[in-house]
Amino acid sequence: MNTYNAAEQSVYLSRVQELLKIRKVNTPKACVTTYGCQQNVSDSQHLKGLLVSMGYELTDKPDGADFVLFNTCAVREHAEDRVWGNVGSIKKFKEKNPSLILAVCGCMVQQEKNAERFSKSYPYVDIIFGTQVGHRLPEFIYRKLTGERRIIELTLDNSEIPEGVPVFQDGGFKGFIPIMYGCDNFCSYCIVPYVRGRERSRTSEAILSEARQMIKDGFKEIMLLGQNVNSYGKGLDEDINFAKLLRKINDIPGDFRIKFMTSNPKDCTDELLLSIKECEKVERHLHLPFQSGSNAVLKRMNRKYTMESYLQIIKTARELMPDITFTSDVIVGFPDESEEDFEKTLELVSKVGFSALFTFIYSKRDGTPAAVMPDGVTREQKGRRFERLLRLQEREGKKVLESMVGRTVRVLCEEYSGGLVFGKDEHQLNVKFAGDQNIIGKFADVIITNAGECLSGERI
Ligand code: SAH
Ligand code: SF4
Ligand code: F3S
């Protein structure tokens, strides 16, 4: 059984505290390194929450730490490569401090071949755990401290979402709320559904009470997280969907901004667009990954929408909210992507005019359908396409910034340096203006006067 049992874990929590005290580890230190997407960052915030409850102090450096954890990502090969090296580099700290506990968790570990490699080739890794059992961290540490040589827990049974796990929100006044876990979409290139399990939504009450508390605590930005937030609510025993959830969060009194990711075009309804328009706290920005502009490629990707239906969403959104901005994810070099297919991607990028793109060269993931698709496209061709896409986006992104000159935007002020304040507006655009330190963590109305690398303006 995988459900979070707060009472049981709190017993382990206090036992770990006692054991650390007996061993004269006065302020035990924990170092957590996170790879991958915001979901992983959010998972790490829960793991940190548990560590802090056990009495650990968090540190950025593995040197001198008593507990070192790597929360890994498997989405592309590059993400994995970094982990193998970085976990290996902890060996020397373990030689210096044999009581150091080394743990690896997350999406990469959830794949059997990786878990096996960790357990065979990395004998100094003490705890290996998957994406659905993180809430049992106190138990794992307790078992390690009481003599178990190695703990491996990879259960992926899609059971109830654990509620009540402590969270260590480390983003200042910006906080994350996961609203759903897992993914049922099985895009043919993607490893996520295999390593995160089936889609499961949290109840609206659990989400709302977390949001209310965060607003009370002074958070100014709430980012709702899920691999496909548009299908939020599926399987719950309540009359809820993502559009309705947004309205409920928007109704919480207070001055804050609501963001969310990721939206899947296949489930992006008019009802949702309307609720974005009518919820004044929701940003005027949509991250809507299209992956490819070619219908043939989209079909082989199993994305379940077409370039035409994607453009229709953009059109409707712009009719409802003329100032809305869009960002997207794009994959270049999907197996057998032809030159014409790629041209369609460029065409889509010019037609929409994204403010930013997250561009990736296709990376083969073992176990996914795309991994066995024939691929006649060379690495060089993929590289050239990638460069062309970047150059086009540079021009398109500039146009979006230039179109903002003369407009007034609302900036959430994040950083101060040398008389300048830096922040993001409701369109998810970076803005700087002259101001002072005490505005950090607040909203400011700014009129945009110039579009350079980022927008600059004057406070009004
Ligand atoms: N759930 C989100 C995306 C999660 S992964 C969605 O559907 O939009 C984030 C991005 O990584 C994806 O949008 C995709 O562009 C990219 N990605 C996923 N698998 C990939 C692969 N095998 N190779 C290259 N990029 C990939
Ligand atoms: Fe991966 Fe597709 Fe799920 Fe996104 S929607 S996580 S790309 S399978
Ligand atoms: Fe990576 Fe897992 Fe996120 S594979 S992108 S950390 S869901």
Side-chain angles (χ1 to χ4, degrees), residues 35-37 39-40 72-75 107 191-192 195-196 227:
Y35 301 87
C37 63
Q39 296 263 307
N40 243 24
T72 63
C73 168
V75 82
C107 295
I191 199 70
V192 172
V195 293
R196 289 245 161 203
Q227 290 299 346

Side-chain angles (χ1 to χ4, degrees), residues 120-184:
K120 289 208 178 105
S121 313
Y122 293 71
Y124 44 89
V125 173
D126 303 291
I127 308 175
I128 298 173
F129 63 96
T131 55
Q132 291 190 2
V133 292
H135 52 277
R136 287 170 54 200
L137 184 63
E139 173 202 329
F140 302 155
I141 296 184
Y142 171 75
R143 281 161 58 188
K144 180 64 201 171
L145 287 174
T146 50
E148 211 170 303
R149 203 191 75 73
R150 174 174 254 183
I151 292 108
I152 302 180
E153 288 286 353
L154 300 168
T155 314
L156 195 74
D157 62 3
N158 308 308
S159 58
E160 226 172 281
I161 296 169
E163 289 294 347
V165 180
V167 196
F168 184 81
Q169 292 277 3
D170 47 6
F173 46 84
K174 304 196 302 182
F176 287 139
I177 302 186
I179 62 167
M180 58 188 301
Y181 291 90
C183 181
D184 286 350

